[in-house]
């Protein structure tokens, strides 16, 4: 009797898994409601997912396998823009589209005072923030705006302007603390 119950449960599990399966590629479709895009981006950025490569444009999260073959494309929120900033003192690299799984900043797991205001002078962020193991501070900002960003640490600081319009950079590696 136990074997029959186990076989029936296994059969139901296989059936439910097959019926609920969706294509991995989300390109052009609304994001599956079960996927929290911000959480997924965070997992790639913090190296909690390491068996794939992920980059993020102004519009999409693009996941590829180790051979560079596209596995999935997720649309980002319409009202929020992802940008990742790597403050540095000595070393940086050129970057436009952030690789969540490949970009490496100089200042790893360090705390900074981050102040961001929009063009109207409204404060968007004013708090201490820490870089991840990749040396970047990940931010979700309202789209279609221009911001002044100030980053400070131990008497050094940098101020820069960034924007969150379509095709703007998601990887900021030009903010040198002086």
């Amino acid at each position: 009797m136990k074997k029959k119950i186990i076989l029936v449960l296994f059969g139901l599990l296989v059936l439910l898994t097959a019926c609920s399966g969706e294509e991995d590629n989300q390109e052009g479709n609304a994001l599956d409601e079960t996927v929290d895009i911000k959480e997924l981006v965070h997992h790639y950025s913090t190296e909690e997912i390491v068996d794939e490569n992920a980059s993020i444009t102004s519009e999409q999260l693009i996941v590829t396998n180790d051979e560079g073959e596209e596995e999935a494309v997720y649309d980002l929120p319409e009202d929020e823009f992802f940008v990742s900033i790597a403050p540095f003192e000595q070393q940086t690299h050129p970057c436009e589209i952030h690789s969540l799984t490949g970009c490496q900043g100089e200042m790893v797991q360090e705390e900074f005072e981050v102040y961001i205001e929009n063009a109207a002078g409204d404060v968007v962020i004013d708090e201490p923030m820490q870089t991840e193991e990749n040396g970047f501070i990940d931010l979700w900002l309202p789209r279609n705006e221009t911001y002044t960003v100030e980053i400070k640490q131990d008497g050094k600081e940098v101020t820069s302007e960034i924007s969150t319009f379509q095709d703007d950079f998601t990887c900021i590696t030009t903010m040198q603390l002086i």
Side-chain angles (χ1 to χ4, degrees):
M1 183 68 171
K2 273 187 174 180
K3 287 184 181 181
K4 284 184 180 180
I5 292 173
I6 291 173
L7 286 174
V8 169
L9 290 174
F10 180 75
L12 285 172
L13 178 63
V14 169
L15 180 64
L16 289 172
T17 302
C19 290
S20 68
E22 294 184 16
E23 288 186 29
D24 285 340
N25 191 329
Q26 298 288 327
E27 187 170 21
N29 298 330
L31 183 63
D32 179 356
E33 294 299 320
T34 61
V35 176
D36 180 339
I37 191 70
K38 289 182 178 182
E39 185 175 322
L40 188 57
V41 167
H42 179 73
H43 288 309
Y44 280 113
S45 188
T46 58
E47 301 176 354
E48 292 175 31
I49 300 175
V50 294
D51 58 343
E52 298 169 316
N53 299 308
S55 60
I56 191 163
T57 70
S58 62
E59 301 291 324
Q60 297 175 320
L61 168 63
I62 302 165
V63 178
T64 59
N65 61 24
D66 287 334
E67 287 79 42
E69 298 167 343
E70 193 172 281
E71 291 187 349
V73 176
Y74 301 95
D75 291 332
L76 299 183
E78 290 182 16
D79 59 341
E80 292 180 284
F81 187 99
F82 176 86
V83 64
S84 198
I85 300 173
F88 75 99
E89 291 180 323
Q90 302 296 321
Q91 296 179 331
T92 190
H93 65 279
C95 190
E96 295 176 6
I97 296 173
H98 186 54
S99 171
L100 297 166
T101 55
C103 283
Q104 183 63 53
E106 172 187 18
M107 304 179 86
V108 175
Q109 292 184 322
E110 294 191 31
E111 190 167 297
F112 300 88
E113 291 297 321
V114 178
Y115 178 85
I116 301 175
E117 68 179 39
N118 63 18
D122 299 323
V123 176
V124 178
I125 295 174
D126 186 6
E127 64 185 75
M129 300 183 89
Q130 182 173 318
T131 54
E132 300 291 344
E133 288 185 29
N134 64 2
F136 282 81
I137 299 169
D138 292 345
L139 303 166
W140 289 92
L141 298 171
R143 286 188 179 273
N144 302 319
E145 293 196 44
T146 300
Y147 298 93
T148 299
V149 179
E150 282 183 9
I151 298 178
K152 298 178 181 181
Q153 181 193 56
D154 298 331
K156 295 181 179 182
E157 63 183 82
V158 61
T159 301
S160 185
E161 187 174 282
I162 65 169
S163 57
T164 59
F165 295 95
Q166 185 175 358
D167 298 326
D168 277 339
F169 296 168
T170 57
C171 188
I172 308 298
T173 57
T174 55
M175 296 186 70
Q176 184 175 18
L177 293 163
I178 300 174

